[in-house]
Amino acid sequence: MSTASDLVSRSNRLGADPRNTNYAGGNTSAKGTATDPVTGKAVELLWVKGSGGDLGTLTEAGLAVLRLDRMRALVGVYPGVEREDEMVGAFDFCLFGKGGAAPSIDTAMHGLVNAKHVDHLHPDSGIAFATAKDGEKLTKKAFGGQVVWVPWSRPGFQLGLEIAAIKEANPQAIGCILGGHGITAWGNTSKESEANSLWIIETAEAYLAAHGKKAPFGRLIAKNAALPAEKRRAKAAALAPTIRGLASHDKPMVGHFTDSDVVLDFLASANAPKLAALGTSCPDHFLRTKVKPMLLDLPANASVEASIARLEELHEEYRADYTAYYELYATADSPAIRGADPLIVLVPGVGMFSFGANKQTARVAGEFYVNAINVMRGAESISTYDPIPESEKFRIEYWALEEAKLQRMPKPKSHATRVALVTGAASGIGKAIATRLAADGACVIIADLDLMKAQAAAAEIGNSDVAIGVAVNVTDADAIARGVQDAVLAFGGIDIVVNNAGVSLSKPLLETTEQDWDVQHDIMAKGSFLVSKATVPVLIEQGMGGDLIYIVSKNSVFAGPNNIAYSATKADQAHQVRLLAVELGEHGIKVNGINPDGVVRGSGIFASGWGTNRAKTYGIEEVDLGKFYAQRTILKREVLPENVANAVSVLTGPDLSHTTGLHIPVDAGVAAAFLR
């Protein structure tokens, strides 16, 4: 096995276990030799995880490869700690060959430490020692001389020099605890380095278990105890739109909800307010969670109305506090403030809401705060939690190198941060719409009568950070309410609602039964009304505008034969668009419709008998229906589900931000259905 592949295997094993490190946290390295293609001679190299990668999913492409002689030669030109940031750019001149990942800020630690293999990790147990007030004394007590204490120092070239010197001065040591930060371990072989990393983590865990206090967060506050599961989720769903709106004051955010025992137990403890105010310590944590969360200071049984009122007050206080933090530590060279809204919102008895630019980022932010809770528990159990000072947090949060990393991120897609709920989305037009919106960067909820099909369609689109499937009967207000609750708990709220669910029967007046009429009106006219009524309060409460889209039909304006029930209900939907556009405009909610025609391929409606009936009406074979519809159009083109999805994308995207009350024909041109 090559040095690089062996390093990747070790990294994947370490990164797969959350006890060892958080997502995208930590880095690993290996030193070895390769042939220089220019000289033909052996050259010593360093393979190290690149900037922004994740150990659990690391591949060889995610490694930075540097010439070790050139990297170590940087020590001779190091200008000192005041200019150490310049050394990151210098790493580029040490790279071996083309390609590979960008070297991270921790590259110096790996290259300068005199060991073949080095692991730097962020285990909760290790950071508990790193953030304990008497962490240095506890490190000696728990690990003996095998693990050495390193006082807090910002990651960079200087820290690499310090760890290298500590290893040389302590030949018996297998690693160190980095004050306020994490752990580093080393070994002469990959196996030894991994074993040493795991020994430090397991020894820390064992010490905490043997010597830690039973109630490190203090006594239980009964009024803050977890609500019963069903009541807890209902309250979370009721609060979610308000909280998402507050967290999106400066820029739109996607949300994630967590009500794990770890979170609920912390929020029910006496010391939670004090510890939450101290904030997180590990740089990986607070870069994702901000320096501290926003904590609702009301009991678990507080009403939704009272909770919302207090959250709004706390949000103003939080923004003022964060702005003061920025202004206190910012210098002339600091990047501009990135927003003063919280990324973590804690509600006693209910759980935690976390936010990010996408669902994955929001979910990971929540995971990191769970890591922080575990760290606080460990530190408080054996000592006192003592995170790094706010001044140091600011130096990292608004570090020029961190800003450069953010600027390198790809430009967001057109629908990034938006959450779309599409009814009847397990097949046909609805599935095409959901697929297109997800491709545009939105999170999507596949709402369908058939849960299994909805979940299967969601799985085709992406993982649960992108799409989920929920069961929704659009004729049942309670079922719709449950689907909306699932949606807001999954993604924090809703921005786009697509009323697509439909069914049809093709019959002349005298053959159309009362039941035929009721079924079609219940699903489409009444169903659209019920879905809009259930989702619009979420859009209004968020205060972020939004879009309602009705998938109507050219039959809403075209008088076709043998089509009384279907066309009448489509006309009902078409007028709902106009009525709601007028009513909801004051909330920034746009309401638009799309009038497709002849969408045969992939259509659930056509497959359920509508196609057979329409073919009979026109005197053609059903297999030729799509071609027939195409030939009667001006453009002579068949309309596909994707054509409708394209129209939804445009209507809900940034280019038609000032358009409401519009019906867009997607029918390849049917003159009799022209809007007049």
Side-chain angles (χ1 to χ4, degrees), residues 122-135 138-139 149 177 180-183 204 208 371-386:
H122 300 149
D124 295 348
S125 60
I127 306 176
F129 280 82
T131 56
K133 194 173 187 67
D134 48 353
L138 287 165
T139 297
W149 174 264
I177 298 287
H181 187 170
I183 72 167
L208 292 171
N371 291 138
I373 291 173
N374 291 334
V375 166
M376 289 186 279
R377 178 190 293 107
E380 286 284 302
S381 73
I382 55 173
S383 179
T384 301
Y385 175 62
D386 187 26

Side-chain angles (χ1 to χ4, degrees), residues 274-303:
K274 177 190 73 174
L275 293 169
L278 290 174
T280 54
S281 184
C282 176
D284 264 31
H285 294 177
F286 61 74
L287 284 173
R288 301 271 192 159
T289 66
K290 268 201 166 75
V291 290
K292 58 185 176 182
M294 187 172 93
L295 171 64
L296 178 62
D297 53 0
L298 293 179
N301 64 357
S303 69

Side-chain angles (χ1 to χ4, degrees), residues 591-608:
V591 188
N592 293 292
I594 296 172
N595 291 348
D597 180 48
V599 183
V600 178
R601 280 195 245 173
S603 169
I605 286 178
F606 276 88
S608 64

